[in-house]
Amino acid sequence: MPRFPLRSLLAVCAWALAWAAATTPLAAGTVITNVKDAKGQPVADAVVSLVALDPSVPVPAVAAADPVVITQQGQEFAPYVNVIAVGTRVSFPNHDKIHHQVYSLSKTKPFELPLYGPGVTQTVLFDRPGVVSLGCNIHDWMAAYIVVLETPWSAKTAVAGVASVTNLAPGRYRLDVWHPRLAGESHREIVVPSGDAPPQTISITLKADRRIRRAPEGAGGGYK
Amino acid sequence: MTDPTARRAPRRSTGLPRGFRFRRFSLRLLSLLLGLLFAALATTYLVVSRANADTAQQHARTNVELAARAVRSAIKQRLDFLARSADLMGRDDALKTVLRASDPATLATLLQSFTRRVAAPVIVLYDDNGRLLASSQGALDTENSGPFSELIRSAIEKDLIENSGFSYLKDELHVLIVVPLYAPHPNIFGWFGLAFPIDREFGLSVRETTGVELTYLSIANPDRPRLLATTLPASAITPIARAVAAADRDRPSTEIIDLLDDRYVSLISFQDMLAAPPIALVLQRPLSPELASARELENYLLLTSLAALAAATLLALGIARGVSQPVQQLAAHTRVIAAGDYATRINLDRVDELGQLADAMNTMSTGLAERDQVRDLLDKNVSPEVAAQLMRDGSALGGEEREVTILFADLRGFTTLSEKLPAPDLLALLNRYLDRMSTAIEREGGVIDKFIGDAIMALFGAPVAQGDGPVRALAAARGMEHALIGLNAELAAEGRPPLALGIGVNTARVVAGNIGSHRRLNYSVIGDGVNVAARLQALTRNADYRTNIITSAATLAACRGAFPAGAGGMAVPPRPLGMVALKGRAGLVEIFAVE
C-alpha cells in the first residue's frame, strides 16, 4: 500500500519526462516509441529495438560495456527486463543473506550458477542474440529476462511505456517490440528522416500475467 | 353356413349375470364382502407397488446421476493430482541439468523415475513447440503420442496453463493432461504430458464409492461395439451397445436396460475424444437392490392382505351363518306349522328383525291353534261347507236369536235291542245307524247338533242361515226314513231284526251360540222350539198317527207351501193330525204327519 503513491508519483514524473523528450528538439536520429496494450494502457518493460533495413545505413560498433548487473536482492532479480548487446557480460551479485542458484534453460544461453552465497558475484557472457529467461532453482518466483541484441539501437520502456532510441541515421528500419508477455510478434517498418522521426505508437497484445505472487511474509505458505 | 343359434338372445335375461346369482345368502354375502375387500386390497397393493417401483427408479436415477458426478470428480481429482505432480517435476533441479545436457535417453530414464515418484503411469515431455523430447514408455513415440501434441497445440492457441482430454494411448482408453514446464515460471520451456488409463480398476473404484456399474464403450463401428472398460461381465455389452446406439448423442439420457437377470437404470452420456469418435459412458444401477426394501414392504402388505381376506371370509361366513341359520330355522318352523303342528314354538333368542319374525310366527301359531280348535269344533257339528262358510264369515258363534228348524230323531226300541246284543255289536249297529242318518241330514245341509245316545238333534238354518231350512229339514226327515229302509234291508240280509225310528221337526226362533264351559264349548240352540221338536218326535210313538215323521204347523208355514218330494218323487202334502197339547207347554200345537 505505501508503494502506491510512490508509483503514481513515478508515473507522473516519467510522463513529464517523456513529454519533455517528445517536445524538446533533439540532435538528429531519435525515435520515440509509445508502447500500449490492447486497452491503451502504457506498457513498461517492453524492449524496443530497430534493425537497419538499408545496407547504406552505417551500423556503429557495439561498445563492449562494463558488465551489466542483475542483482539478487530481497529474493528478486532486478532489473526484471534487461537489454544487452551480444558479447556483453552480465554479473549476478547476491546481495541477500541466503543462497541463490541462477539458471537458464533458454537455447540462447543455457547455464547454471551453482548455489552461491551472500556477497558472491558470478558473471556470465552472453555471446548469442536471443531472449534468455533467468530463474532461481531455489526461489520459484524469481524471474528475469535478458534480451541479447545484435543491433546497437534499443531501449526499454519505462513505467510510462515510452522508449527512446537515439543515434539513428536516416533510412528504413524495422522496429521490433518485445515483452515478456507479448502474444505473437510485433514488427513495424519505419523510415527515419534526417532529424527526428515522428513518435511511434505501438499497440501490443499481452498474455495473462502469470508471474508467481509471493505470499506475504509470515503467511507460512510460501507462494502462490 | 352360420349357426342359427349363435345369434339367438340368451334365454334368461335377469338383472344379475349368471355368475352372481347364488342360492345361498352366505355365498352372496361372502362374495360381496370378499370382492370389495379384494378390490380395495388389490388396488392398494398395486398403488403401493407402483409407487415403490417409481421410487426405486427415482433412487436408481439419482444414484447414476451422482455417479456421473463422481466419475467427473474422480477424473478431475486425478488430473489435478497429475498437474501438481507435473509442477513439482518441473521444479526438479536434475531435470534442468539433464535438459541442459540435451540427452534424450537420460531424459527418458528420468521420466521413468518420475512415474514412480508421482504415480502417473505415463509421462512424456515436449518442447515448447510440441516436439516430443522424451517418453517414460519406450513404445510411446511421436506417432502414437499424437493426442498430447494436439492438447499442447490447443493449449498454446488458447493460452491455457493446462489442457486435458480423453484419448487412446496404445489403443487403450486414457485421460491425458498437458502441463507446462516452466523455466522459470511463467516462462514456458516445454510441456509435460501425463495420462492414466480408464480401465476396469477405475470403474471398480467408482463402483466402490457409488454402487454404480460403469462401462465405457466405443460404437465407432456400430456392428462391432468395443468394450473399453467395464465393471460388468463382458456378456453385458450387447444389450448396452444396443441402448447406446439408440441413445441421444447431444445430452445424457436415462434408459432401463434388461441385462444379467435384472433391470438396470442406465445413464448414457457421450464423451468427446481427441482425434477419435466420441465414446459412450454408461452408468448403471440395478433395480433389485433398490426394490429390496420395497419388496419387503410389498410382501408384508401381501401377507396382511391375505390375512385380512381370511379374516373377512370368517367374518362374512359368521355373519351369513348368523342370518341364514335362523332363517333356515324359521323356514323349518314354517314347514312344521304347515304340517299342522301349532304347539311347537320357535325360540331364536334374538331381538333383531329375525327375532321379531320368530315372535310373529309364534303368535301366528297361537292364532292358528285357536282357529283350529274352533274349526275342529265346527267340523264335528257341521258339514265342511258350512264350516268353511263359518270360517269365512266368522259370525254366528256368539249368542243370537234366529229362526231355526230343529230335527229330532230317535231309534225305537233301542233299549230292548241293547239288552239283546253284546256291547261291541250294539255300538257298531248304533254307529252304523247314526252314520246313515247323519249322511241323510248333511245331504240336505243340516248340522248335527249332538247325538244323545241313540237320538239325533240336527239344525237347519243355524249356524248358517238357510232360506229353505224347513224344506230341507223335512227332506232330510224323509231321507232318513228312506235310508233306514235301506239299512233295514241290509240288516234283514244279515238276519237281524229291523230298526224303526221317529222324527220330530219344528221351526222356531231360538237362541243359538256356543254353549258350555270355558274348556268345552258346544254350538247349540236352546229354547222352547227345541222342546217342541223333541215332543213331536215322541208323538210318533203314538200308533194312531201312523207316521214316523211329525212336524208342526210352524214348520209347514215356514215352508210356504214348498213341500219336498216324497219317496215316490212326488210332493205329498202333510197329513194334518190335529191339535195336540204338549207336555210342559201351555196351549195346543197343530201337528202334521209327513209321509
Side-chain angles (χ1 to χ4, degrees):
Chain A
M1 271 312 194
R3 286 168 63 188
F4 193 75
L6 181 68
R7 199 180 252 187
S8 306
L9 194 66
L10 278 173
V12 170
C13 292
W15 181 83
L17 279 172
W19 182 80
T23 51
T24 310
L26 294 174
T30 298
V31 171
I32 292 167
T33 309
N34 285 284
V35 181
K36 298 188 171 176
D37 64 12
K39 290 176 183 171
Q41 298 295 309
V43 175
D45 283 334
V47 174
V48 177
S49 58
L50 284 90
V51 176
L53 295 177
D54 294 333
S56 59
V57 172
V59 180
V62 180
D66 287 336
V68 171
V69 178
I70 298 177
T71 62
Q72 297 156 81
Q73 193 162 15
Q75 294 161 46
E76 292 288 0
F77 288 116
Y80 177 52
V81 173
N82 304 269
V83 189
I84 61 169
V86 173
T88 306
R89 289 179 174 278
V90 178
S91 66
F92 297 94
N94 180 357
H95 297 320
D96 279 331
K97 290 176 180 164
I98 53 168
H99 287 66
H100 287 293
Q101 184 169 1
V102 182
Y103 76 92
S104 156
L105 285 182
S106 302
K107 291 179 189 74
T108 303
K109 184 69 184 178
F111 70 93
E112 184 177 33
L113 305 176
L115 206 62
Y116 62 103
V120 177
T121 298
Q122 300 265 23
T123 305
V124 177
L125 170 69
F126 291 84
D127 47 5
R128 286 166 62 192
V131 178
V132 178
S133 303
L134 295 176
C136 172
N137 261 339
I138 320 274
H139 308 104
D140 285 340
W141 55 89
M142 287 175 69
Y145 294 91
I146 302 171
V147 181
V148 187
L149 296 172
E150 287 179 307
T151 174
W153 301 296
S154 66
K156 186 178 82 170
T157 60
V159 180
V162 178
S164 166
V165 180
T166 55
N167 288 327
L168 292 161
R172 290 189 305 120
Y173 291 84
R174 191 184 75 217
L175 192 156
D176 299 336
V177 177
W178 178 92
H179 187 270
R181 286 157 55 206
L182 178 67
E185 291 180 345
S186 174
H187 307 291
R188 175 182 291 185
E189 199 178 307
I190 62 166
V191 175
V192 178
S194 51
D196 292 338
Q200 300 291 323
T201 298
I202 294 184
S203 270
I204 57 172
T205 306
L206 296 183
K207 294 193 274 191
D209 188 358
R210 295 203 174 109
R211 287 182 72 180
I212 296 171
R213 305 273 171 233
R214 286 172 71 184
E217 292 287 332
Y223 59 90
K224 187 73 183 168
Chain B
M1 285 286 135
T2 52
D3 180 6
T5 59
R7 284 191 201 166
R8 200 176 287 163
R11 280 186 192 164
R12 275 198 247 176
S13 57
T14 45
L16 285 169
R18 185 173 279 262
F20 287 94
R21 278 181 280 132
F22 298 104
R23 273 166 182 265
R24 290 179 58 183
F25 173 73
S26 57
L27 278 179
R28 199 164 172 166
L29 185 71
L30 190 68
S31 64
L32 186 73
L33 208 64
L34 290 189
L36 285 176
L37 191 64
F38 180 79
L41 290 175
T43 309
T44 310
Y45 182 83
L46 286 178
V47 166
V48 167
S49 172
R50 178 82 182 267
N52 281 341
D54 285 353
T55 310
Q57 273 194 28
Q58 196 52 52
H59 261 217
R61 206 168 288 229
T62 311
N63 272 333
V64 293
E65 278 162 8
L66 283 176
R69 284 201 222 167
V71 168
R72 284 197 293 274
S73 166
I75 290 173
K76 186 179 180 302
Q77 275 183 16
R78 294 198 69 164
L79 287 177
D80 283 351
F81 177 77
L82 291 184
R84 280 174 177 272
S85 301
D87 196 47
L88 280 177
M89 293 187 304
R91 301 190 197 293
D92 187 75
D93 193 13
L95 175 70
K96 286 165 189 160
T97 309
V98 173
L99 282 173
R100 260 193 307 277
S102 293
D103 179 3
T106 312
L107 190 58
T109 52
L110 178 61
L111 293 183
Q112 281 170 18
S113 299
F114 284 155
T115 59
R116 290 283 187 88
R117 289 189 205 168
V118 303
V122 176
I123 301 177
V124 291
L125 188 61
Y126 291 79
D127 70 8
D128 57 344
N129 293 318
R131 192 173 59 85
L132 183 66
L133 294 178
S135 154
S136 66
Q137 293 185 322
L140 270 186
D141 51 26
T142 311
E143 202 167 306
N144 60 21
S145 64
F148 283 118
S149 310
E150 195 183 319
L151 283 175
I152 292 168
R153 197 160 46 245
S154 79
I156 292 171
E157 217 168 82
K158 298 172 190 164
D159 190 22
L160 303 174
I161 53 164
E162 61 181 55
N163 200 5
S164 60
F166 279 65
S167 184
Y168 299 108
L169 287 184
K170 290 198 285 180
D171 222 21
E172 300 287 327
L173 182 61
H174 282 74
V175 178
L176 281 56
I177 184 169
V178 292
V179 184
L181 164 60
Y182 295 111
H185 206 286
N187 192 62
I188 296 175
F189 170 81
W191 294 83
F192 281 111
L194 300 95
F196 64 92
I198 298 291
D199 50 10
R200 180 174 162 80
E201 204 176 320
F202 174 79
L204 291 176
S205 74
V206 170
R207 187 172 75 178
E208 196 178 321
T209 49
T210 61
V212 168
E213 308 286 351
L214 174 146
T215 301
Y216 274 104
L217 188 72
S218 165
I219 54 162
N221 179 356
D223 298 330
R224 284 185 57 197
R226 190 181 153 215
L227 211 46
L228 302 171
T230 187
T231 53
L232 290 168
S235 62
I237 186 172
T238 312
I240 294 178
R242 207 178 300 128
V244 165
D248 186 354
R249 300 290 174 105
D250 299 328
R251 63 186 70 83
S253 57
T254 311
E255 316 278 342
I256 291 179
I257 302 176
D258 290 320
L259 57 95
L260 305 172
D261 300 330
D262 206 335
R263 311 188 72 207
Y264 282 76
V265 171
S266 312
L267 181 68
I268 301 173
S269 54
F270 286 86
Q271 172 68 55
D272 284 333
M273 296 284 287
L274 296 165
I279 57 167
L281 164 63
V282 186
L283 293 164
Q284 295 176 297
R285 171 89 178 160
L287 273 177
S288 59
E290 304 284 358
L291 278 171
S293 61
R295 279 280 138 74
E296 208 173 307
L297 175 71
E298 280 166 27
N299 287 341
Y300 183 72
L301 191 65
L302 202 63
L303 215 64
T304 24
S305 298
L306 289 177
L309 279 175
T313 308
L314 291 177
L315 195 71
L317 283 176
I319 292 174
R321 263 173 94 97
V323 174
S324 67
Q325 221 170 31
V327 167
Q328 282 169 355
Q329 281 179 12
L330 286 167
H333 188 66
T334 310
R335 284 192 288 275
V336 167
I337 292 172
D341 181 356
Y342 306 145
T344 309
R345 293 288 179 269
I346 187 168
N347 182 20
L348 289 185
D349 194 22
R350 43 200 300 166
V351 292
D352 57 6
E353 290 84 344
L354 290 168
Q356 290 168 16
L357 181 58
D359 288 345
M361 282 182 84
N362 286 338
T363 310
M364 184 181 80
S365 285
T366 309
L368 283 174
E370 282 174 7
R371 208 171 148 145
D372 211 36
Q373 271 183 344
V374 174
R375 195 180 178 125
D376 257 1
L377 207 65
L378 288 170
D379 274 348
K380 285 176 201 157
N381 294 316
V382 300
S383 63
E385 301 82 56
V386 173
Q389 191 184 343
L390 270 174
M391 294 295 288
R392 274 200 306 279
D393 298 347
S395 61
L397 293 178
E400 63 174 346
E401 204 182 76
R402 60 160 57 193
E403 192 176 88
V404 178
T405 302
I406 303 114
L407 181 150
F408 253 97
D410 192 26
L411 195 58
R412 295 269 171 70
F414 183 71
T415 317
T416 41
L417 197 65
S418 63
E419 285 167 1
K420 287 182 190 166
L421 282 174
D425 289 356
L426 181 71
L427 212 59
L429 181 62
L430 180 59
N431 285 348
R432 203 167 158 192
Y433 159 77
L434 290 175
D435 191 50
R436 301 289 170 93
M437 297 306 112
S438 297
T439 306
I441 291 166
E442 283 167 2
R443 192 185 298 136
E444 295 299 333
V447 170
I448 309 279
D449 184 80
K450 56 174 78 78
F451 297 111
I452 308 151
D454 57 348
I456 303 168
M457 177 178 163
L459 305 176
F460 291 83
V464 181
Q466 288 170 321
D468 55 349
V471 183
R472 284 167 174 266
L474 291 180
R478 281 212 185 99
M480 288 166 80
E481 202 172 29
H482 187 71
L484 185 66
I485 292 167
L487 179 61
N488 278 340
E490 288 172 27
L491 290 176
E494 291 166 20
R496 292 178 185 238
L499 300 173
L501 57 55
I503 301 170
V505 178
N506 183 38
T507 301
R509 286 194 78 79
V510 294
V511 173
N514 282 317
I515 299 158
S517 71
H518 175 71
R519 288 183 170 234
R520 189 185 170 89
L521 280 173
N522 257 331
Y523 181 83
S524 192
V525 292
I526 47 173
D528 187 46
V530 181
N531 293 331
V532 170
R535 299 282 179 254
L536 293 180
Q537 176 267 321
L539 285 177
T540 59
R541 288 181 192 153
N542 190 329
D544 294 343
Y545 292 144
R546 288 179 286 108
T547 184
N548 290 325
I549 307 167
I550 292 178
T551 187
S552 64
T555 300
L556 290 181
C559 284
R560 288 186 281 274
F563 296 110
M570 295 165 62
V572 180
R575 172 163 52 92
L577 296 178
M579 307 288 283
V580 294
L582 294 179
K583 190 177 169 186
R585 189 185 157 89
L588 298 172
V589 175
E590 190 180 10
I591 61 170
F592 295 86
V594 178
E595 288 159 345

